[in-house]
Amino acid sequence: MDAYTILQQAISGVATGGIYASVALAVVMIYRAIDHFNFAQGEMAMFSTYIAWSLMHAGLPYWWAFILTLAISFLGGVLIERVIFRPIHDAPVLSHVVVFIGLLAIFNSAAGFIWDYTIKPFPSPFASGGLFGSTLISLHKAGMIAVTLVVLGLVYAFFRFTEVGLAMRAAAQNPESARLVGVRVEWMTALGWGMAAAIGAVAGMMIAHDVYLEPNMMIGVLLYGFAGAIVGGVDSPGGAVFGGFLVGIIENLVGLVPFVGSELKLTVALVLIVGVLMVRPSGIFGTRVVRRV
Amino acid sequence: MTVGAGPQAVIPPKPVRPPSGLAVAGISLRAWRRFWLVLGIVVALTLPLFAGSFTTFQLTQAAIYAIAILGLNLLTGFNGQFSLGHSAFYAIGAYTAAIMMDQWEIAYYWTLPAAGLICLVVGFLFGLPALRLEGLYLALATFALAVATPQILKFSPLEEWTGGVQGIFILKPDAPPGLPLDQDQWLYYFTLAVTAVLFVCARSLVRSRTGRAIMAIRDNPIAARSMGINTALYKSLTFGVSALYPGVAGALGAIVVQFVAPDSFTFLLAVTFLVGLVIGGVGSIPGSLAGGLFVLFLPNLAEQISKGLAWGVYGVILILLIYVMPSGTAGLVRLVTIRLAKPSG
Amino acid sequence: MSRPLLEVGNLTAGYGQTRVLHRLGFDLGEGEIATILGANGAGKTTTLRALCGMVRREGEIRFDGRPIGGLSTEEVVRRGIAHVPEGRGTFVRLTVEENLRLAAITRKDRSAVAADFERVYDYFPRLRERRRQQAGTLSGGEQQMLAIGRALMLRPRLMLLDEPSFGLAPMIVQDIFGILRTINSEDRVSMLLVEQNASLALDLANRAYVLETGRLVLSGPAAKIREDDSVRRSYLGY
């Protein structure tokens, strides 16, 4: 194995890492609003990707379908929060987990029912071939990185510079105080769901070209997304993004280790992650919760 | 606290146990409890005599799930820790049984204590470092365990033992000579007996001094520590015991199904246990039994409603169940009892 | 006589099964400052929380003639009631400026908002110095200033102040109470003040109410209440 292969895999890791980073970000957004992980995030993204596929088959050009899918996913996310989670927001965490599992089953089954379980190719908006004719990275992977970075940049700008973004941060940090300055906290939560759904949709549409479209395509991705979120720190969106990229790179480099790599790739990646947690139990960028006695 | 600002309970609040001295329809709650218990035992004992062999097989499966769910319940319901990795212990139990029977031709009943013991040790050892992690982080560590399990089972250097992707076939044991039972019926009664023993053990554990220490850690870890409870030791021990249960269940499962293969022990199995736990009732021992029946029959029911959308229907039922009974079957039963009960006398 | 700004009648509130307030009734006029006195656990904080829907409550609450008893906290706030909670409710991970900006997001009058920023910074120059700092790094007194500043950014007609002197050095308390007086006289903001330091509260307030175990036992002009024997013994300590 030479340095070139390692570099190639590392870059490829950045590309998939971007996907994990997006999913991690979506997970963290919902986590900050309702304090636990959305197990259905991956299936929601998968369903969005199918919607994009249908739109493209109906003749819409790629980017139009892309934007329309984002809008539909956003509305879908808001709707799920309002209709399904609002009525049980006081229920215990474990009950929420079961509802997430229920949602996961519904989306998975509905996708298989509507679009059947056969694997479908998903187009890439980028031309085939290498970037600047090199074999180091394909145009699609480079495009994927670019799209991810644009999305992450937009999300950052939204939270940093807009009033609604500020209100969402406040609502996540201290809901009671946020109400006291007139922030409609419930709507902020719904908005968070909508945005998470849209971000997840981007991840789904980007990865689908590589893994092909099928109802189970996001399960592995979601896993890495969770891992990224926890490694980076569940309460830190920036940390989650970093964690996602890190997990992507580790995953690809582990894949290079002969023998162990190919068969136990997932296991090794997860062991590394748990190892990080042993040393830093609240993630790399997470805030340590100090508990009062 | 106030409008949704307070921290949420991890575990569903337990409705207060109906006080004794109450009665439903003039019969005391104690008597009712005994009545249901006896009825349950009678039904459980006679059912395979009427039911077909497939139903008997399914009921055996439900009891096996109930054992695994009970193990998870000891951890989550009584000690307040999460695990998404109990499928791993089930797998270890199943492979222990299969390898012992396949490679060394050891009798099936010896595999249960072996599987239980191995899982107790593995669970305890896994528990030691993992318990540095709390809540979500422990969930991720156990999740990693669940995801890694099928991969490790397929790992080629271990193939000589595990049979790799192919798995291991084992023979179904016969009923002891002289008993007029077929194989399925015999396994049903065998499983039933094991289930009964394990449930009684769990009940005694929870009611013992150790059980109170375990629950004290759930309710207030800091206070528990200041009362001199060695929380790390108890938490690891609880983890070990809670791994023992799915270990035994896994061994039973292997014997009943006559086959083990890596893909039967994915993360989905861990999810199944979790669903059974919540639907049955977190922190309720009899609830685990209800949970076992639910997770076995719910998918069948869903499939009958719609074949193509079976999982979708399953999801809808799950969500509706959470709406209707947020603290599980056990919670619902308690609530109904309280509604119906009047002071006796 | 014109209608009072805030009218409360038969107000009952509590947490879970426990009732804390029992059929409270009182008014507050436009531009007036009233204080609620009482021992720990008498229900002072709960009264403020009940007014802005932070605890379950029953009874009649009218603000500016319109009922607000059924509104959620955020809607009450949007009607012009600013609550400065006990413990200040700072958004510790936002900067000082973001904390203030947040309070103005419900407002449409952009130019007035800019003027209010200046006004808050003029009242509390310390906040101007630290406006890029994370609010969690401020001292207790500065956080109290920030809480009051945040309330001002809402352009309220009524401020509910819960223990503004709590845990602060006497000098800073003097400053803050001076500023509250200015806010009241210049902007005609009415105030309902809950305060451990009864003497300080009676200096600032026009009216006073005394609460005992969730019931109103005494009310009247602040000067009168100050002279009441039992109040003097219980809350003023002489």
Side-chain angles (χ1 to χ4, degrees), chain B residues 1-3, chain C residues 49 53-54:
Chain B
M1 273 280 300
T2 53
V3 239
Chain C
R49 293 172 72 91
M54 294 166 81

Side-chain angles (χ1 to χ4, degrees), chain A:
Chain A
M1 191 185 348
D2 50 59
Y4 185 78
T5 321
I6 294 176
L7 187 62
Q8 201 178 26
Q9 283 301 315
I11 292 176
S12 173
V14 173
T16 38
I19 303 298
Y20 303 156
S22 309
V23 174
L25 182 65
V27 162
V28 163
M29 288 193 51
I30 292 185
Y31 177 80
R32 295 206 328 160
I34 60 175
D35 260 352
H36 42 90
F37 277 13
N38 178 2
F39 286 93
Q41 194 81 62
E43 307 308 283
M44 284 163 61
M46 172 274 295
F47 203 82
S48 298
T49 312
Y50 268 107
I51 291 174
W53 182 86
S54 292
L55 291 173
M56 287 173 206
H57 263 244
L60 240 56
Y62 189 96
W63 290 111
W64 280 110
F66 184 91
I67 289 166
L68 203 56
T69 302
L70 291 195
I72 294 170
S73 307
F74 178 85
L75 289 177
V78 170
L79 215 64
I80 289 175
E81 199 280 334
R82 292 268 93 184
V83 177
I84 296 180
F85 275 87
R86 181 54 29 198
I88 54 158
H89 74 287
D90 281 334
V93 170
L94 272 178
S95 308
H96 281 193
V97 171
V98 170
V99 172
F100 281 131
I101 292 168
L103 272 180
L104 189 155
I106 292 172
F107 277 121
N108 194 293
S109 172
F113 186 75
I114 302 172
W115 292 287
D116 76 58
Y117 287 90
T118 55
I119 291 174
K120 295 178 172 54
F122 194 85
S124 165
F126 311 104
S128 57
L131 182 66
F132 310 125
S134 98
T135 52
L136 201 56
I137 177 171
S138 72
L139 259 174
H140 172 72
K141 286 228 160 75
M144 233 160 92
I145 297 175
V147 169
T148 318
L149 289 179
V150 167
V151 168
L152 297 178
L154 285 177
V155 172
Y156 174 79
F158 170 78
F159 280 115
R160 189 78 180 70
F161 301 115
T162 70
E163 305 294 276
V164 183
L166 180 63
M168 283 178 72
R169 273 154 72 203
Q173 226 181 82
N174 190 338
E176 179 157 303
S177 285
R179 286 196 176 88
L180 285 180
V181 289
V183 172
R184 292 183 170 125
V185 173
E186 268 89 55
W187 277 107
M188 294 303 122
T189 308
L191 209 58
W193 270 81
M195 286 180 65
I199 296 169
V202 174
M205 286 185 277
M206 287 295 116
I207 197 88
H209 177 70
D210 279 346
V211 300
Y212 298 107
L213 186 57
E214 50 112 2
N216 296 320
M217 71 169 197
M218 288 303 282
I219 288 174
V221 176
L222 179 67
L223 232 168
Y224 285 117
F226 278 162
I230 291 184
V231 167
V234 270
D235 55 357
S236 149
V241 168
F242 175 83
F245 277 111
L246 192 69
V247 168
I249 295 167
I250 291 176
E251 182 215 1
N252 272 268
L253 291 183
V254 165
L256 281 180
V257 182
F259 194 47
V260 171
S262 52
E263 277 186 71
L264 293 181
K265 191 164 148 182
L266 198 59
T267 308
V268 173
L270 283 169
V271 166
L272 278 178
I273 288 154
V274 174
V276 169
L277 290 177
M278 292 290 165
V279 185
R280 285 205 51 109
S282 27
I284 298 173
F285 296 102
T287 25
R288 189 111 180 83
V289 180
V290 180
R291 216 167 298 135
R292 275 194 355 188
V293 179

Side-chain angles (χ1 to χ4, degrees), chain B residues 132-216:
Chain B
R132 267 178 58 94
L133 308 171
E134 280 180 2
L136 209 53
Y137 301 100
L138 181 61
L140 182 84
T142 51
F143 182 47
L145 187 66
V147 171
T149 302
Q151 286 200 319
I152 294 169
L153 293 175
K154 284 180 202 165
F155 193 41
S156 40
L158 299 175
E159 220 170 282
E160 192 187 325
W161 300 90
T162 60
V165 189
Q166 254 78 58
I168 306 168
F169 284 93
I170 47 186
L171 293 175
K172 209 174 220 176
D174 285 318
L179 279 179
L181 297 171
D182 65 29
Q183 289 175 325
D184 286 316
Q185 286 170 329
W186 164 242
L187 277 179
Y188 172 81
Y189 285 115
F190 181 71
T191 306
L192 197 65
V194 174
T195 311
V197 169
L198 288 175
F199 269 71
V200 170
C201 286
R203 197 176 121 105
S204 327
L205 175 70
V206 167
R207 296 191 170 185
S208 68
R209 239 180 101 81
T210 314
R212 282 198 297 277
I214 289 171
M215 286 186 273

